[in-house]
Amino acid sequence: KFFYIFATYIQIIIRIMKILVEKINAEYEVFVSNANAQVEKGNKAAGTRARKAALELSKLMKEFRKVSVEASK
């Protein structure tokens, strides 16, 4: 019974990590798109969106690190 619970727990952790990776990839695309618009076209609004995406990426990365450490225990 313990092994079943542990295996289920690991599956949940892996699922969470996959979801986080998908979110990180999506947010990174938003960041790159807006950062390029700011740098190449001088779009100030895009710069604001890029900074917001960078902040969200930071949060997602911290969450991924936390889950990853938990998975490695």
Side-chain angles (χ1 to χ4, degrees):
K1 184 170 179 152
F2 172 75
F3 179 74
Y4 174 76
I5 293 171
F6 181 73
T8 303
Y9 175 74
I10 294 298
Q11 289 173 344
I12 292 169
I13 294 291
I14 290 170
R15 178 98 170 136
I16 291 170
M17 288 175 67
K18 286 181 182 180
I19 291 168
L20 282 169
V21 168
E22 289 172 6
K23 287 181 178 182
I24 289 168
N25 285 333
E27 199 64 39
Y28 182 73
E29 288 179 23
V30 170
F31 168 75
V32 169
S33 171
N34 285 298
N36 284 336
Q38 180 188 18
V39 171
E40 295 171 1
K41 299 174 185 171
N43 185 332
K44 291 181 182 181
T48 301
R49 291 189 298 271
R51 289 190 298 277
K52 182 179 176 185
L55 185 60
E56 184 61 27
L57 271 171
S58 175
K59 292 175 185 177
L60 288 169
M61 292 291 195
K62 287 177 184 177
E63 183 65 23
F64 179 83
R65 183 179 186 284
K66 186 173 90 173
V67 172
S68 178
V69 167
E70 184 65 29
S72 67
K73 290 183 181 179

